[in-house]
Amino acid sequence: MINVSFYLRRLHSLCGLLLLGGVLVEHLLTNASAMGGPEVFNQGLAMMEMIPPPVFLGIEICLYAVPILFHGIYGIFIALDAKNNPGAYGYSRNWKFALQRYTAWYLVAFLIWHVGYLRIYLKGIMGEHISYALVQSVISNPIVFVLYALGMFAAIFHFCNGITTFCMTWGIAKGPRAQCVVDKIAMGLCALMCLLTLAFMFSYIA
Amino acid sequence: MAEQKKTITFIIERQDSPTSAPYTQEFEIPYRPALNVVASLMEIQKNPVTKDGKKVAPVTWECNCLEKVCGACMMVINGKARQACCALIDELEQPIRLAPARTFPVIRDLLIDRSVMFESLKRVQAWVEVDGTWEVKDAPIQNPYTATTAYEISHCMTCGCCLEACPNVGPQSDFIGASPSVQAYLFNLHPLGKFDKEKRLNALMGKGGITGCGNSQNCVEVCPKNIKLTTYLAQLNRDVNKQALKNIFNK
Ligand code: HEM
Ligand code: SF4
Ligand code: SF4
Ligand code: FES
């Protein structure tokens, strides 16, 4: 078909906002339930385990694995198209443009480690049961704690700034006022999600 | 106070040929009120001697109108792309650093080759088709509100500031940049030009087209003609998305 890169680019955008954004929000809320204590968290996990494993695996592959591989791999090529220049042009939007790419690089490394270790190695290969105690043992290492917090912040910023750029890419917010309002709302959401992350992460080690 | 001789220091990035390695030289010229970068370069040209007294080849650059309408004098001044003819010395931090806009091929010193922009304008058909078999009557009527927008965009002087500042334009990418994209919008607004709207939108959906924009918004910050580039890019995004739906469902 003609204009393949146009459709791929629009798919990359939709996939990032709707599918990966959805996964991030779900992930954040599930983890935030840990603040209610081990019982609440484990109960939430048990609810998810009520979905038959083959169906759950299908959901994981279609709504998570495929979109993230597509968005991530194509995203690497998009990131390589940019010569980040916030040093010379230090405007706020240009910083966010650069941060969108810096967080993307961090996410590539972080997600390989995070998904590779927890989902594929521990749960998939070792047949380990994911639980409050397991998460607690993982993040009680201070270095892991910091790297995980940074991973969450990176994903949250990338997603929230992505809301703003999505509104531009799809011509939803056109004028400077509308774009500024979207930017402020997205950054407010970003702050809120980061605070929630800190709150539930500290609740594990408190 | 009038006795004290004030000077201006320039650090200029030079290059002898399109392929040779760049190097920098320092120049000092006497201060004069209301001096701008082009006038300073002319001063250096009269007496091309570096700060440490070495006689060198005069610095090459391009300029034309000297009043911010031709676009020719774009260069990187203290790190930012702008027009040299309207860069006032009094408003610049010293030493003043001049460098060629390396998004474009450098011909010599500060002189660059911006023809890639003209090639992009051809690609998006940035003109109105007037020659045909039809009768040419009076000029078609223009909506005055649309004309105001068109007038604003028509100020573009193809200077290339918006391409130089754009992180997504350069040898690493095939994006044509803000100016040629937005020029397509200008001609889509024209009462006759809009007959070819579909052609232009399809060109913008092609390789190097509008998807190359990553919304860093540097273009609108640096445009010397204050064209609301990001607003028109967003409008074009709307237009190409609609065109994409038409391409999928109408054929
Ligand atoms: C695996 C690593 C990832 C890489 C390499 C990556 C790369 C990128 C890049 C380069 C962009 C800019 C696209 C553009 O300017 O057109 C982008 C946009 C975006 N990303 Fe990611 N990303 C990754 C993970 C994620 C994740 C986990 C999420 C969701 C939480 C996400 C959500 C988004 C959103 C919503 C956008 C905005 C789309 C738009 O501007 O239209 N990305 N990504
Ligand atoms: S908004 Fe788009 S065209 Fe303008 S500088 Fe940023 S990436 Fe380039
Ligand atoms: S849009 Fe503005 S910055 Fe870009 S070429 Fe035209 S006048 Fe120069
Ligand atoms: S000389 Fe024409 S814009 Fe500067």
Side-chain angles (χ1 to χ4, degrees):
Chain A
M1 208 167 45
I2 52 154
N3 301 334
V4 181
S5 69
F6 174 84
Y7 293 104
L8 281 181
R9 200 67 182 244
R10 289 300 190 253
L11 209 59
H12 179 264
S13 167
L14 274 181
C15 177
L17 189 85
L18 299 181
L19 294 179
L20 302 183
V23 169
L24 179 69
V25 170
E26 183 278 323
H27 214 55
L28 190 67
L29 295 180
T30 308
N31 278 290
S33 73
M35 284 189 290
E39 306 76 39
V40 183
F41 184 71
N42 289 339
Q43 236 169 36
L45 289 183
M47 286 255 286
M48 270 203 243
E49 275 159 16
M50 272 158 44
I51 304 173
V55 177
F56 196 74
L57 191 67
I59 294 175
E60 275 185 314
I61 290 175
C62 298
L63 294 187
Y64 191 66
V66 172
I68 198 138
L69 283 174
F70 166 67
H71 183 97
I73 293 169
Y74 192 46
I76 289 175
F77 286 99
I78 297 175
L80 290 175
D81 263 351
K83 193 175 77 247
N84 296 317
N85 57 7
Y89 301 94
Y91 316 117
S92 132
R93 271 245 53 84
N94 193 33
W95 267 110
K96 288 173 186 155
F97 173 93
L99 276 171
Q100 186 79 4
R101 275 123 190 104
Y102 300 150
T103 52
W105 290 117
Y106 187 73
L107 282 172
V108 171
F110 176 74
L111 288 174
I112 290 175
W113 175 46
H114 172 59
V115 179
Y117 180 66
L118 277 182
R119 176 66 189 87
I120 298 176
Y121 177 73
L122 279 189
K123 187 174 169 189
I125 297 173
M126 305 303 286
E128 190 99 41
H129 188 74
I130 304 282
S131 66
Y132 185 91
L134 180 83
V135 179
Q136 192 173 36
S137 78
V138 169
I139 67 168
S140 56
N141 176 327
I143 296 172
V144 174
F145 185 91
V146 170
L147 292 178
Y148 262 62
L150 287 178
M152 281 304 287
F153 293 164
I156 291 168
F157 174 84
H158 190 92
F159 167 63
C160 292
N161 187 49
I163 297 175
T164 311
T165 58
F166 181 94
C167 289
M168 297 166 177
T169 304
W170 291 85
I172 297 165
K174 177 178 159 182
R177 186 197 53 85
Q179 292 184 349
C180 182
V181 168
V182 172
D183 194 31
K184 285 199 177 122
I185 294 174
M187 286 303 115
L189 183 67
C190 179
L192 219 66
M193 287 170 79
C194 286
L195 284 177
L196 184 62
T197 299
L198 277 181
F200 83 69
M201 284 190 71
F202 274 110
S203 79
Y204 276 105
I205 56 169
Chain B
M1 182 189 145
E3 293 313 305
Q4 207 187 352
K5 252 175 103 186
K6 277 215 278 179
T7 57
I8 310 161
T9 309
F10 283 92
I11 299 176
I12 304 182
E13 191 177 301
R14 308 196 54 179
Q15 181 172 329
D16 296 336
S17 78
T19 49
S20 63
Y23 56 94
T24 55
Q25 276 175 351
E26 236 178 289
F27 295 90
E28 210 171 50
I29 61 162
Y31 173 81
R32 220 172 55 216
L35 207 58
N36 64 41
V37 169
V38 166
S40 305
L41 284 168
M42 288 172 171
E43 211 52 52
I44 292 171
Q45 196 177 37
K46 281 191 218 155
N47 180 30
V49 175
T50 61
K51 197 176 169 185
D52 35 345
K54 215 169 77 190
K55 188 152 174 75
V56 293
V59 180
T60 308
W61 82 97
E62 189 178 18
C63 67
N64 231 317
C65 66
L66 303 183
E67 53 178 358
K68 199 167 85 172
V69 289
C70 75
C73 65
M74 194 273 285
M75 58 183 72
V76 177
I77 302 172
N78 283 348
K80 285 199 172 70
R82 53 185 297 187
Q83 302 309 108
C85 67
C86 52
L88 295 177
I89 300 300
D90 289 328
E91 290 167 9
L92 290 171
E93 201 180 300
Q94 288 203 43
I96 297 167
R97 289 169 189 276
L98 305 183
R102 294 197 173 273
T103 289
F104 301 93
V106 175
I107 299 171
R108 179 171 186 157
D109 295 339
L110 304 170
L111 177 66
I112 52 166
D113 176 5
R114 289 175 299 131
S115 42
V116 61
M117 289 185 81
F118 299 94
E119 291 310 315
S120 302
L121 287 172
K122 286 189 225 164
R123 243 164 86 182
V124 301
Q125 203 196 308
W127 66 83
V128 172
E129 213 72 77
V130 286
D131 297 327
T133 52
W134 55 86
E135 186 185 359
V136 180
K137 293 215 284 210
D138 301 336
I141 191 160
Q142 285 244 20
N143 175 335
Y145 297 103
T146 312
T148 310
T149 304
Y151 183 57
E152 176 198 333
I153 306 174
S154 73
H155 279 122
C156 174
M157 52 187 176
T158 330
C159 63
C161 283
C162 58
L163 271 71
E164 173 66 20
C166 177
N168 274 358
V169 175
Q172 81 285 0
S173 118
D174 55 13
F175 180 38
I176 58 172
S179 158
S181 307
V182 169
Q183 286 302 303
Y185 181 56
L186 168 65
F187 290 95
N188 282 351
L189 289 177
H190 189 274
L192 292 181
K194 68 172 171 230
F195 297 152
D196 289 318
K197 185 173 173 179
E198 210 167 292
K199 252 197 211 165
R200 295 192 192 92
L201 292 179
N202 274 306
L204 281 179
M205 286 162 67
K207 216 167 123 52
I210 195 164
T211 50
C213 168
N215 303 306
S216 68
Q217 306 211 331
N218 286 351
C219 50
V220 74
E221 298 276 358
V222 299
C223 175
K225 306 304 273 188
N226 294 320
I227 300 170
K228 295 190 281 297
L229 293 165
T230 46
T231 302
Y232 305 127
L233 284 169
Q235 176 64 50
L236 280 168
N237 270 325
R238 252 185 225 179
D239 295 344
V240 290
N241 289 342
K242 276 190 218 147
Q243 186 60 43
L245 290 177
K246 283 188 199 158
N247 289 356
I248 293 170
F249 294 106
N250 288 8
K251 284 177 187 163

Short mmCIF file of all heavy atoms in Angstrom, two decimals, chain B residues 38 62-74 83-86 157 159, ligand 4:
data_model
loop_
_atom_site.label_atom_id
_atom_site.label_comp_id
_atom_site.label_asym_id
_atom_site.label_seq_id
_atom_site.Cartn_x
_atom_site.Cartn_y
_atom_site.Cartn_z
N VAL B 38 25.13 41.50 9.87
CA VAL B 38 25.54 41.65 8.46
C VAL B 38 26.49 42.83 8.29
O VAL B 38 27.55 42.72 7.66
CB VAL B 38 24.31 41.79 7.53
CG1 VAL B 38 24.74 42.29 6.15
CG2 VAL B 38 23.60 40.45 7.39
N GLU B 62 25.82 35.07 2.90
CA GLU B 62 24.86 35.49 1.88
C GLU B 62 23.89 36.50 2.48
O GLU B 62 23.45 36.34 3.62
CB GLU B 62 24.09 34.27 1.38
CG GLU B 62 23.22 34.56 0.17
CD GLU B 62 22.49 33.32 -0.35
OE1 GLU B 62 22.39 32.33 0.37
OE2 GLU B 62 22.02 33.37 -1.49
N CYS B 63 23.56 37.54 1.74
CA CYS B 63 22.50 38.43 2.17
C CYS B 63 21.98 39.18 0.94
O CYS B 63 22.59 39.14 -0.11
CB CYS B 63 22.97 39.41 3.23
SG CYS B 63 24.17 40.60 2.64
N ASN B 64 20.83 39.81 1.12
CA ASN B 64 20.19 40.40 -0.03
C ASN B 64 19.43 41.66 0.36
O ASN B 64 19.88 42.77 0.19
CB ASN B 64 19.21 39.38 -0.60
CG ASN B 64 19.42 39.19 -2.07
OD1 ASN B 64 19.59 40.16 -2.79
ND2 ASN B 64 19.41 37.96 -2.52
N CYS B 65 18.28 41.45 0.98
CA CYS B 65 17.35 42.56 1.21
C CYS B 65 17.78 43.45 2.38
O CYS B 65 17.48 44.63 2.40
CB CYS B 65 15.97 41.99 1.51
SG CYS B 65 15.93 41.07 3.05
N LEU B 66 18.46 42.87 3.36
CA LEU B 66 18.86 43.56 4.59
C LEU B 66 17.66 44.06 5.39
O LEU B 66 17.80 44.96 6.21
CB LEU B 66 19.82 44.72 4.28
CG LEU B 66 21.09 44.33 3.53
CD1 LEU B 66 22.00 45.53 3.36
CD2 LEU B 66 21.84 43.21 4.24
N GLU B 67 16.48 43.52 5.15
CA GLU B 67 15.33 43.94 5.95
C GLU B 67 14.38 42.78 6.24
O GLU B 67 13.18 42.95 6.26
CB GLU B 67 14.60 45.10 5.27
CG GLU B 67 14.21 44.80 3.83
CD GLU B 67 13.44 45.95 3.20
OE1 GLU B 67 13.17 46.94 3.88
OE2 GLU B 67 13.10 45.81 2.01
N LYS B 68 14.94 41.59 6.44
CA LYS B 68 14.16 40.43 6.86
C LYS B 68 13.00 40.09 5.92
O LYS B 68 11.90 39.80 6.38
CB LYS B 68 13.64 40.68 8.30
CG LYS B 68 13.23 39.43 9.02
CD LYS B 68 13.03 39.65 10.49
CE LYS B 68 11.65 40.16 10.85
NZ LYS B 68 11.41 40.20 12.29
N VAL B 69 13.25 40.14 4.63
CA VAL B 69 12.21 39.65 3.72
C VAL B 69 12.70 38.62 2.70
O VAL B 69 11.89 37.92 2.11
CB VAL B 69 11.47 40.77 2.93
CG1 VAL B 69 10.57 41.57 3.83
CG2 VAL B 69 12.43 41.64 2.18
N CYS B 70 14.02 38.52 2.50
CA CYS B 70 14.47 37.60 1.44
C CYS B 70 14.83 36.23 1.98
O CYS B 70 14.78 35.24 1.26
CB CYS B 70 15.65 38.19 0.67
SG CYS B 70 17.20 38.12 1.58
N GLY B 71 15.24 36.16 3.24
CA GLY B 71 15.56 34.87 3.84
C GLY B 71 17.02 34.44 3.71
O GLY B 71 17.45 33.48 4.34
N ALA B 72 17.79 35.14 2.87
CA ALA B 72 19.11 34.65 2.50
C ALA B 72 20.12 34.58 3.65
O ALA B 72 21.00 33.72 3.64
CB ALA B 72 19.69 35.53 1.39
N CYS B 73 20.02 35.46 4.63
CA CYS B 73 21.11 35.61 5.60
C CYS B 73 20.97 34.73 6.83
O CYS B 73 21.59 34.99 7.85
CB CYS B 73 21.21 37.07 6.02
SG CYS B 73 19.74 37.60 6.92
N MET B 74 20.20 33.65 6.74
CA MET B 74 20.03 32.80 7.93
C MET B 74 21.34 32.14 8.33
O MET B 74 22.04 31.58 7.49
CB MET B 74 18.97 31.74 7.64
CG MET B 74 18.45 31.02 8.85
SD MET B 74 19.40 29.59 9.35
CE MET B 74 18.90 28.41 8.10
N GLN B 83 18.07 35.44 11.38
CA GLN B 83 18.51 36.26 10.26
C GLN B 83 19.59 37.21 10.74
O GLN B 83 19.39 37.98 11.68
CB GLN B 83 17.33 37.06 9.69
CG GLN B 83 16.17 36.22 9.21
CD GLN B 83 16.61 35.13 8.26
OE1 GLN B 83 16.61 33.96 8.60
NE2 GLN B 83 16.99 35.53 7.06
N ALA B 84 20.73 37.22 10.02
CA ALA B 84 21.86 38.06 10.44
C ALA B 84 21.56 39.54 10.26
O ALA B 84 22.04 40.38 11.01
CB ALA B 84 23.10 37.66 9.66
N CYS B 85 20.72 39.87 9.27
CA CYS B 85 20.50 41.29 8.97
C CYS B 85 19.70 42.00 10.04
O CYS B 85 19.76 43.22 10.16
CB CYS B 85 19.84 41.46 7.60
SG CYS B 85 18.14 40.84 7.53
N CYS B 86 18.93 41.24 10.83
CA CYS B 86 18.16 41.91 11.87
C CYS B 86 18.59 41.46 13.26
O CYS B 86 17.86 41.62 14.23
CB CYS B 86 16.67 41.72 11.65
SG CYS B 86 16.21 40.01 11.45
N MET B 157 9.72 33.34 4.01
CA MET B 157 10.78 33.75 3.08
C MET B 157 11.76 32.60 2.84
O MET B 157 12.88 32.83 2.40
CB MET B 157 11.49 34.99 3.61
CG MET B 157 11.97 34.83 5.04
SD MET B 157 12.61 36.37 5.70
CE MET B 157 12.97 35.87 7.38
N CYS B 159 13.63 31.02 4.68
CA CYS B 159 14.94 31.27 5.28
C CYS B 159 15.55 30.00 5.84
O CYS B 159 16.76 29.83 5.85
CB CYS B 159 14.81 32.31 6.40
SG CYS B 159 13.77 31.80 7.78
S1 FES C 4 19.29 39.81 4.06
FE1 FES C 4 17.25 39.32 3.50
S2 FES C 4 16.49 38.43 5.32
FE2 FES C 4 18.45 39.11 5.93
#
